Amino acid sequence: MEIEVRKGTIDDVVEVDAQIPEFDGRNTKDKLEQRLSDIPHLILIATHNGQPVAYKMGYELSSLEFYSWLGGVVPTARKKGIATQLRLAQESWAHEKGYKAISVKSMNRYPPMLQLLISSGYHISGYEEEGSTDKSKIKFIKYIMAEGA
């Protein structure tokens, strides 16, 4: 599967998000625009044959830390390395922009994401209790090292 990764828009994200059953339509255009307004952010879109099939977006927490907020791959495009391509592109961009770390949160109900984060060098850095292990959030961080370090 030939995938192209490019910078995208909130409209691109909404289009992909509508095809991801786990999100139940909760990521509305208004919600995304409110969160990203007035802060440095990055939206990456993966396309196949010109059609958006995945996204990864995040924003600045501080001058040193970037937060990888949301991402998803449509079910028909999963297990093809697309999430890894997006993660690598986001990490490269964050490094170029001078961030020293990328943080992200996930949940036990998304085992493939937890496995991807751990196998990609992210370390568990905390836990946000939300009343059940299925809804609670596991916090991860990855320190971005300079080339050759």
Side-chain angles (χ1 to χ4, degrees):
M1 178 178 269
E2 179 109 6
I3 296 297
E4 178 186 329
V5 175
R6 62 170 170 81
K7 286 189 178 177
T9 66
I10 289 175
D11 287 332
D12 292 328
V13 170
V14 170
E15 181 182 341
V16 174
D17 205 79
Q19 302 172 64
I20 299 176
E22 295 90 339
F23 290 158
D24 303 327
R26 74 183 100 148
N27 298 321
T28 65
K29 184 174 181 175
D30 283 347
K31 174 186 174 183
L32 301 176
E33 286 175 341
Q34 283 180 359
R35 177 69 63 100
L36 298 178
S37 69
D38 301 325
I39 56 172
H41 63 274
L42 175 67
I43 298 172
L44 293 173
I45 301 294
T47 60
H48 174 62
N49 293 332
Q51 295 300 307
V53 295
Y55 72 89
K56 191 158 192 65
M57 62 193 307
Y59 55 87
E60 181 177 278
L61 285 179
S62 74
S63 62
L64 299 177
E65 187 173 350
F66 187 80
Y67 179 61
S68 184
W69 179 35
L70 288 173
V73 180
V74 300
T76 56
R78 291 179 183 168
K79 303 225 182 272
K80 296 177 180 9
I82 298 170
T84 295
Q85 284 182 260
L86 288 168
R87 177 186 57 77
L88 291 171
Q90 185 182 69
E91 289 175 2
S92 176
W93 178 89
H95 183 266
E96 288 171 13
K97 294 294 182 186
Y99 295 104
K100 301 299 181 204
I102 297 178
S103 59
V104 64
K105 297 175 192 171
S106 193
M107 300 180 203
N108 281 321
R109 65 181 177 198
Y110 303 126
M113 183 63 181
L114 299 175
Q115 293 165 351
L116 175 71
L117 290 168
I118 290 168
S119 68
S120 301
Y122 285 76
H123 294 234
I124 294 171
S125 61
Y127 188 75
E128 290 180 5
E129 178 61 50
E130 299 290 340
S132 76
T133 58
D134 207 40
K135 293 181 180 175
S136 296
K137 295 178 181 168
I138 303 164
K139 296 169 24 174
F140 293 85
I141 195 161
K142 181 176 185 176
Y143 295 98
I144 305 169
M145 300 299 199
E147 295 299 319

